[in-house]
Amino acid sequence: MILPPARVLAMPSARDNILARLRAAPAAHGPKPAEDFTTVSAKGWTPEEQLARLRRIMESVHTEFLDARGADWVAALHVWMIDQGVPSLLYAPATSVGQTLVASWPMVGPRLTPYDRTMGEWKADLFAGEGAGITGTNGAIAFTGSLILSTGPDEPRTLSLVPPVHIAVFNINQIYDTMLEAMQDQNWTAAMPTNMLLISGPSKTADIEQVLAYGVHGPKRLLVVLTDH
C-alpha cells in the first residue's frame, strides 16, 4: 500500500511572530503630544539682551568683536588690521560696505583689493593670500548666535569662505530673537535669496574624538564689526 507523503507543517518565523503581536495589540489612542515652538517664537528680549546673548554665544566659538558704535568703523577697522598684522582686505566694489571703504580708507597701511575678477583668473592668488575678506550682513539671530549673510554676484560667498580672516560689518539695529522673526521681517517668502549663509564663528571641524580644530576648511578668524548706523 502506498501512503501519501507526510505534510510538513511550517513553523512560524520570528518575523511572523512579531507581526502577529503587532496586529493583536490594541490600538493606541493617547493624547496628541504638545507642540513646542519655543525655538522659533519671539522671546521678548530687549536690544541689550539680544546683543549680549549674540556676543556670548559667538565668543564661545572664538568669534571676535570690534565695537565701533558711535564711531567711524572704517578707521577702527584700519587700526585693528595694523595691530593684528593683516596685510590686505578683499572687498566687493558694488556693495555699500565696499563703497564706504573706498571713500575713506587711509592711503597707508593694509591695502584694499577689489573682488573684480572671476575665480578662474585669480584662484591661485586668492587661496594663497594671507589677508582678510569683508562682507556686510543681513542681520543676526540672537537665539542661535548667528549672522545672516545673503550672497550673490555683487558679494560672492568667496569673500567669507576663502580668506584666512572674515570681517563682517553688522548693524546692531538688525538683530532678531529668532530665525522666524528674521524671515517674517525680511519677507523671505517673497524674495528668498538663492544663497544664504548663517555664520556663528570661524571655520571649525572635529575628529572622531570630537576635538575641535579651527580654520581647517575656511577662515581661521571671524571679526564682527559692530555699528549702529
XYZ file of all heavy atoms in Angstrom, residues 137-202:
496
model
N 26.230 92.305 6.317
C 25.355 91.284 6.879
C 23.906 91.704 6.668
O 23.616 92.881 6.437
C 25.603 91.086 8.393
O 25.439 92.343 9.060
C 27.000 90.554 8.650
N 23.006 90.726 6.763
C 21.574 90.995 6.654
C 20.872 90.803 7.986
O 19.699 90.422 8.031
C 20.946 90.076 5.599
C 21.454 90.352 4.208
O 22.549 89.921 3.849
N 20.692 91.086 3.420
N 21.599 91.040 9.055
C 21.019 90.874 10.377
C 21.713 89.764 11.144
O 22.711 89.197 10.706
N 21.155 89.466 12.320
C 21.702 88.410 13.170
C 20.573 87.806 13.990
O 19.542 88.433 14.219
C 22.797 88.952 14.084
N 20.781 86.569 14.443
C 19.793 85.835 15.223
C 20.346 85.621 16.626
O 21.339 84.912 16.808
C 19.463 84.481 14.566
C 18.952 84.704 13.140
C 18.437 83.711 15.390
C 18.871 83.440 12.310
N 19.715 86.233 17.609
C 20.216 86.154 18.979
C 20.084 84.752 19.557
O 20.955 84.296 20.300
C 19.469 87.155 19.863
N 19.005 84.051 19.243
C 18.757 82.740 19.841
C 19.865 81.749 19.525
O 20.292 80.975 20.396
C 17.412 82.187 19.356
C 16.991 80.916 20.055
C 16.382 80.957 21.297
C 17.216 79.680 19.468
C 16.012 79.793 21.947
C 16.851 78.509 20.115
C 16.247 78.564 21.356
N 20.336 81.747 18.294
C 21.365 80.794 17.882
C 22.760 81.405 17.825
O 23.733 80.680 17.627
C 21.035 80.210 16.499
O 20.898 81.284 15.551
C 19.749 79.415 16.546
N 22.866 82.730 17.972
C 24.166 83.377 17.864
C 24.721 83.291 16.458
O 25.843 82.826 16.255
N 23.941 83.764 15.484
C 24.322 83.603 14.077
C 24.156 84.910 13.313
O 23.184 85.649 13.520
C 23.450 82.537 13.397
O 23.468 81.322 14.101
N 25.100 85.168 12.401
C 24.962 86.262 11.448
C 24.259 85.751 10.198
O 24.426 84.596 9.808
C 26.333 86.807 11.054
C 27.211 87.386 12.158
C 28.560 87.787 11.562
C 26.545 88.572 12.826
N 23.486 86.633 9.556
C 22.816 86.283 8.309
C 23.542 86.978 7.169
O 23.689 88.204 7.171
C 21.338 86.735 8.322
C 20.595 86.152 9.534
C 20.644 86.347 7.025
C 19.205 86.745 9.738
N 23.993 86.210 6.191
C 24.652 86.764 5.004
C 23.906 86.296 3.772
O 23.644 85.102 3.596
C 26.115 86.300 4.895
C 27.183 87.122 5.616
C 27.021 86.991 7.134
C 28.572 86.662 5.195
N 23.554 87.235 2.918
C 22.937 86.915 1.638
C 23.967 87.165 0.554
O 24.393 88.299 0.335
C 21.692 87.785 1.408
O 21.116 87.512 0.147
N 24.393 86.102 -0.104
C 25.452 86.224 -1.102
C 24.891 86.238 -2.511
O 23.759 85.835 -2.753
C 26.455 85.064 -0.969
O 25.793 83.836 -1.317
C 26.980 84.968 0.450
N 25.691 86.728 -3.450
C 25.269 86.807 -4.838
C 26.368 87.399 -5.692
O 27.514 87.543 -5.227
N 26.064 87.789 -6.914
C 27.088 88.323 -7.814
C 27.815 89.548 -7.255
O 29.017 89.701 -7.463
C 26.293 88.671 -9.081
C 25.093 87.793 -9.034
C 24.745 87.662 -7.584
N 27.092 90.426 -6.556
C 27.730 91.636 -6.019
C 28.625 91.340 -4.824
O 29.603 92.064 -4.581
C 26.674 92.665 -5.621
C 26.014 93.322 -6.825
O 26.583 93.214 -7.934
O 24.929 93.908 -6.660
N 28.294 90.317 -4.075
C 29.079 89.967 -2.893
C 29.171 88.441 -2.804
O 28.424 87.799 -2.066
C 28.443 90.540 -1.624
C 29.349 90.458 -0.410
C 28.774 91.224 0.771
O 27.767 90.755 1.352
O 29.303 92.293 1.096
N 30.100 87.833 -3.545
C 30.198 86.372 -3.599
C 30.534 85.772 -2.237
O 31.179 86.406 -1.399
C 31.343 86.133 -4.596
C 31.478 87.415 -5.350
C 31.092 88.489 -4.403
N 30.091 84.547 -2.024
C 30.370 83.884 -0.754
C 31.863 83.612 -0.564
O 32.311 83.351 0.556
C 29.585 82.577 -0.646
C 29.877 81.557 -1.729
C 29.035 80.324 -1.547
N 29.275 79.329 -2.584
C 28.728 78.119 -2.602
N 27.891 77.766 -1.640
N 28.985 77.268 -3.563
N 32.631 83.688 -1.659
C 34.086 83.518 -1.569
C 34.689 84.485 -0.560
O 35.661 84.160 0.131
C 34.730 83.759 -2.945
O 34.050 82.967 -3.911
C 36.201 83.405 -2.940
N 34.131 85.683 -0.449
C 34.671 86.702 0.457
C 34.660 86.233 1.907
O 35.532 86.620 2.691
C 33.859 87.994 0.331
C 34.097 88.829 -0.930
C 33.020 89.892 -1.067
C 35.472 89.467 -0.880
N 33.676 85.426 2.265
C 33.561 84.981 3.655
C 34.095 83.580 3.878
O 34.277 83.172 5.029
C 32.091 85.031 4.103
O 31.302 84.128 3.332
N 34.361 82.837 2.813
C 34.741 81.440 2.966
C 36.203 81.143 2.668
O 36.715 80.111 3.094
C 33.860 80.562 2.057
C 32.361 80.569 2.342
C 31.631 79.667 1.357
C 32.067 80.143 3.767
N 36.899 82.008 1.928
C 38.253 81.684 1.489
C 39.352 82.405 2.271
O 40.292 81.762 2.750
C 38.410 81.941 -0.026
C 39.864 81.740 -0.462
C 37.493 81.009 -0.815
N 39.326 83.740 2.427
C 40.431 84.408 3.129
C 40.596 83.901 4.558
O 39.620 83.481 5.192
C 40.011 85.889 3.113
C 39.105 86.006 1.921
C 38.343 84.714 1.892
N 41.807 83.934 5.093
C 42.055 83.451 6.454
C 41.272 84.196 7.537
O 41.010 83.652 8.598
C 43.566 83.657 6.637
C 44.121 83.668 5.260
C 43.066 84.301 4.411
N 40.934 85.465 7.247
C 40.160 86.264 8.198
C 38.892 86.752 7.501
O 38.961 87.324 6.412
C 40.961 87.475 8.719
C 40.130 88.276 9.719
C 42.274 87.025 9.340
N 37.745 86.511 8.122
C 36.486 87.054 7.614
C 36.054 88.191 8.535
O 35.939 88.020 9.752
C 35.399 85.976 7.580
C 34.042 86.508 7.230
N 32.882 85.914 7.651
C 33.662 87.597 6.480
C 31.844 86.604 7.191
N 32.299 87.634 6.484
N 35.838 89.358 7.942
C 35.365 90.530 8.683
C 33.933 90.810 8.244
O 33.661 90.984 7.051
C 36.267 91.748 8.415
C 37.688 91.467 8.903
C 35.707 92.994 9.101
C 38.708 92.510 8.469
N 33.018 90.835 9.201
C 31.603 91.063 8.909
C 31.146 92.344 9.581
O 31.286 92.497 10.802
C 30.760 89.883 9.392
N 30.621 93.271 8.784
C 30.121 94.535 9.325
C 28.657 94.338 9.687
O 27.830 94.004 8.831
C 30.283 95.676 8.301
C 29.767 96.986 8.880
C 31.746 95.804 7.886
N 28.322 94.550 10.955
C 26.969 94.248 11.452
C 26.359 95.456 12.148
O 26.916 95.989 13.102
C 27.011 93.059 12.410
C 25.719 92.840 13.150
C 24.542 92.611 12.458
C 25.677 92.885 14.536
C 23.348 92.431 13.133
C 24.493 92.700 15.220
C 23.326 92.472 14.502
N 25.188 95.880 11.656
C 24.421 96.954 12.280
C 23.549 96.356 13.372
O 22.678 95.518 13.098
C 23.557 97.659 11.230
C 22.884 98.910 11.769
O 22.506 98.974 12.933
N 22.723 99.907 10.908
N 23.753 96.776 14.622
C 23.042 96.169 15.741
C 21.540 96.422 15.706
O 20.784 95.802 16.448
C 23.603 96.658 17.087
C 23.389 98.171 17.242
C 25.062 96.286 17.231
C 23.642 98.663 18.645
N 21.082 97.334 14.849
C 19.645 97.579 14.724
C 18.946 96.493 13.917
O 17.721 96.522 13.768
C 19.401 98.946 14.065
C 19.933 100.092 14.913
O 19.674 100.147 16.112
N 20.693 100.984 14.307
N 19.705 95.539 13.391
C 19.127 94.444 12.613
C 19.310 93.104 13.318
O 19.680 92.112 12.717
C 19.773 94.369 11.228
C 19.295 95.426 10.257
C 19.841 95.172 8.861
O 21.039 95.167 8.626
N 18.943 94.958 7.927
N 19.020 93.072 14.600
C 19.137 91.831 15.353
C 17.743 91.313 15.695
O 16.852 92.085 16.031
C 19.991 92.034 16.624
C 20.305 90.700 17.284
C 19.356 93.001 17.576
C 21.368 90.801 18.367
N 17.571 89.996 15.558
C 16.279 89.358 15.778
C 16.398 88.319 16.890
O 17.471 87.763 17.117
C 15.795 88.672 14.501
C 15.686 89.595 13.309
C 16.731 89.697 12.396
C 14.559 90.370 13.103
C 16.639 90.543 11.295
C 14.451 91.221 12.002
C 15.502 91.306 11.105
O 15.405 92.154 10.016
N 15.263 88.056 17.555
C 15.257 86.998 18.567
C 15.529 85.639 17.920
O 16.367 84.872 18.383
C 13.908 86.946 19.281
C 13.740 88.053 20.316
O 14.667 88.870 20.475
O 12.675 88.095 20.963
N 14.761 85.331 16.868
C 14.814 84.011 16.255
C 14.872 84.127 14.735
O 14.646 85.196 14.159
C 13.582 83.178 16.626
O 12.410 83.809 16.074
C 13.422 83.065 18.134
N 15.123 82.994 14.093
C 15.171 82.967 12.641
C 13.795 83.273 12.043
O 13.689 83.914 10.997
C 15.657 81.607 12.158
C 15.892 81.532 10.656
S 16.714 79.989 10.195
C 16.855 80.223 8.416
N 12.731 82.820 12.710
C 11.385 83.096 12.209
C 11.128 84.589 12.121
O 10.559 85.072 11.138
C 10.336 82.430 13.112
C 8.876 82.676 12.726
C 8.586 82.138 11.332
C 7.935 82.058 13.749
N 11.565 85.340 13.124
C 11.384 86.791 13.087
C 12.126 87.411 11.903
O 11.607 88.299 11.229
C 11.888 87.415 14.386
C 10.938 87.275 15.545
C 11.345 88.156 16.713
O 12.528 88.111 17.111
O 10.491 88.897 17.218
N 13.336 86.939 11.656
C 14.094 87.458 10.517
C 13.392 87.144 9.206
O 13.297 88.002 8.320
C 15.502 86.860 10.523
N 12.896 85.934 9.073
C 12.198 85.531 7.844
C 10.971 86.399 7.604
O 10.707 86.827 6.478
C 11.795 84.063 7.936
C 12.963 83.088 7.940
S 12.461 81.389 8.321
C 11.379 81.062 6.912
N 10.216 86.652 8.664
C 8.990 87.435 8.513
C 9.293 88.904 8.248
O 8.690 89.529 7.369
C 8.128 87.286 9.769
C 7.573 85.882 9.960
C 6.865 85.709 11.292
O 7.138 86.435 12.267
N 5.952 84.764 11.361
N 10.244 89.463 9.000
C 10.560 90.883 8.853
C 11.156 91.191 7.484
O 10.866 92.235 6.888
C 11.533 91.315 9.951
C 11.808 92.808 9.924
O 10.892 93.592 10.257
O 12.932 93.204 9.548
N 11.989 90.278 6.958
C 12.638 90.498 5.675
C 11.860 89.882 4.508
O 12.296 89.971 3.363
C 14.059 89.936 5.721
C 14.934 90.620 6.755
C 16.360 90.084 6.796
O 16.783 89.337 5.914
N 17.114 90.479 7.804
N 10.712 89.273 4.806
C 9.798 88.749 3.783
C 10.507 87.773 2.832
O 10.488 87.929 1.617
C 9.176 89.902 2.983
C 7.930 89.466 2.220
O 7.342 88.416 2.510
N 7.532 90.251 1.237
N 11.137 86.754 3.426
C 11.870 85.782 2.625
C 10.966 85.012 1.661
O 11.416 84.563 0.612
C 12.593 84.785 3.525
C 13.736 85.374 4.274
C 14.121 86.698 4.329
C 14.661 84.668 5.120
N 15.214 86.853 5.143
C 15.567 85.641 5.640
C 14.801 83.340 5.479
C 16.603 85.282 6.505
C 15.825 82.990 6.346
C 16.720 83.948 6.849
N 9.693 84.859 2.010
C 8.798 84.093 1.130
C 8.597 84.783 -0.212
O 8.355 84.133 -1.222
C 7.433 83.893 1.795
O 6.893 85.176 2.168
C 7.560 83.024 3.026
N 8.719 86.113 -0.232
C 8.539 86.849 -1.483
C 9.837 86.983 -2.265
O 9.817 87.097 -3.491
C 7.965 88.234 -1.199
N 10.955 86.991 -1.572
C 12.240 87.191 -2.252
C 13.324 86.396 -1.533
O 14.239 86.960 -0.940
C 12.598 88.672 -2.288
N 13.213 85.079 -1.593
C 14.194 84.224 -0.930
C 15.513 84.277 -1.676
O 15.559 84.044 -2.882
C 13.700 82.779 -0.894
C 14.620 81.823 -0.171
S 14.726 82.185 1.599
C 15.924 80.968 2.122
N 16.606 84.604 -0.985
C 17.909 84.640 -1.666
C 18.283 83.265 -2.212
O 17.901 82.234 -1.657
C 18.873 85.064 -0.549
C 18.014 85.697 0.487
C 16.704 84.994 0.417
N 19.023 83.252 -3.306
C 19.447 81.976 -3.881
C 20.527 81.315 -3.056
O 20.704 80.096 -3.109
C 19.972 82.178 -5.316
O 21.029 83.146 -5.285
C 18.873 82.688 -6.228
N 21.260 82.109 -2.283
C 22.315 81.538 -1.445
C 22.422 82.365 -0.172
O 22.742 83.544 -0.222
C 23.653 81.529 -2.189
C 24.686 80.652 -1.501
O 24.963 80.811 -0.323
N 25.259 79.727 -2.238
N 22.143 81.739 0.950
C 22.189 82.450 2.223
C 23.081 81.686 3.196
O 23.060 80.449 3.243
C 20.788 82.610 2.803
C 20.759 83.284 4.161
S 19.104 83.790 4.625
C 18.888 85.233 3.584
N 23.893 82.409 3.957
C 24.776 81.801 4.934
C 24.374 82.226 6.341
O 24.017 83.380 6.572
C 26.228 82.229 4.690
C 26.829 81.955 3.308
C 28.252 82.515 3.246
C 26.831 80.471 2.989
N 24.399 81.293 7.271
C 24.258 81.582 8.692
C 25.606 81.269 9.330
O 26.046 80.120 9.321
C 23.146 80.739 9.321
C 21.738 80.985 8.789
C 20.749 80.036 9.460
C 21.307 82.425 8.999
N 26.273 82.281 9.858
C 27.639 82.129 10.351
C 27.693 82.442 11.845
O 27.245 83.497 12.281
C 28.598 83.061 9.583
C 28.614 82.668 8.097
C 29.997 83.008 10.176
C 29.497 83.545 7.240
N 28.244 81.509 12.608
C 28.347 81.692 14.059
C 29.777 81.868 14.543
O 29.988 82.260 15.685
C 27.717 80.494 14.785
O 26.333 80.419 14.516
N 30.747 81.531 13.698
C 32.130 81.638 14.135
C 33.077 81.268 13.017
O 32.642 81.002 11.887
N 34.366 81.258 13.282
C 35.334 80.841 12.260
C 35.132 79.371 11.909
O 34.453 78.631 12.630
C 36.691 81.082 12.940
C 36.397 81.056 14.400
C 35.019 81.602 14.560
